[in-house]
Amino acid sequence: MERYHRKYKQHRRNIPVSVRKKILKQLYHDITNIANQNGIKLILIFGTLLGNIRENELIYYDYDLDFGVIGNKNDLKNLYKILKHKLNSKYHIKYFKIPLIRKYKLKIEKQNLMLILIYFKKTTNI
């Protein structure tokens, strides 16, 4: 397992920054357009949010995009189905689960870059 992770990380490091940013910007554009067209509310989270606030763009050393889906569980499932239908020719789309949270991952097959979608339950409690 350790050997796989080293190989995976090394492969990602070999992707030039300009190529990574171009792919991630296109993925960002694709995801936000599809979500907006289907009335699904997305929020930036983790490193994507940090880059947006700190650098007003993607962090140059980042390898993924992180979005939260606000609403109900069906919004996340629907977005996943729509992405699979509309973007399957561009990206290899894979689903995985993490205990206690439902998490979707859209992975770009050749470059090992990915999109992470996490569902956040809408609440009125503060």
Side-chain angles (χ1 to χ4, degrees):
M1 191 70 159
E2 177 68 27
R3 178 193 237 173
Y4 169 78
H5 288 296
R6 267 189 270 132
K7 183 179 176 184
Y8 175 76
K9 285 181 181 181
Q10 183 60 43
H11 179 70
R12 290 194 326 185
R13 282 190 206 117
N14 292 336
I15 305 167
V17 172
S18 59
V19 172
R20 258 198 333 257
K21 282 183 104 172
K22 183 178 178 183
I23 292 167
L24 289 174
K25 282 182 180 183
Q26 182 61 52
L27 181 58
Y28 182 98
H29 179 73
D30 291 343
I31 298 306
T32 54
N33 281 344
I34 289 170
N36 288 337
Q37 290 169 359
N38 291 282
I40 297 170
K41 294 182 182 186
L42 296 177
I43 59 170
L44 300 177
I45 56 175
F46 309 140
T48 306
L49 176 61
L50 176 65
N52 189 283
I53 291 171
R54 190 173 68 189
E55 301 176 17
N56 203 26
E57 65 175 340
L58 299 173
I59 297 174
Y60 73 91
Y61 53 83
D62 210 353
Y63 295 92
D64 65 4
L65 295 174
D66 308 296
F67 286 99
V69 177
I70 303 288
N72 61 50
K73 290 180 185 177
N74 289 333
D75 287 341
L76 184 59
K77 288 178 183 178
N78 290 339
L79 181 58
Y80 175 70
K81 288 176 187 175
I82 294 164
L83 293 175
K84 191 147 178 85
H85 175 72
K86 290 192 174 187
L87 299 180
N88 209 29
S89 61
K90 272 180 146 176
Y91 310 110
H92 173 69
I93 299 172
K94 183 179 175 183
Y95 165 78
F96 72 97
K97 253 187 181 181
I98 290 183
L100 305 178
I101 8 179
R102 194 164 284 177
K103 190 173 184 179
Y104 287 91
K105 174 172 115 176
L106 185 144
K107 181 179 173 187
I108 301 174
E109 193 171 8
K110 291 180 184 173
Q111 287 84 7
N112 287 321
L113 305 174
M114 65 191 79
L115 166 75
I116 296 172
L117 298 168
I118 299 175
Y119 162 72
F120 291 93
K121 185 177 181 181
K122 190 174 183 177
T123 180
T124 55
N125 299 338
I126 295 180

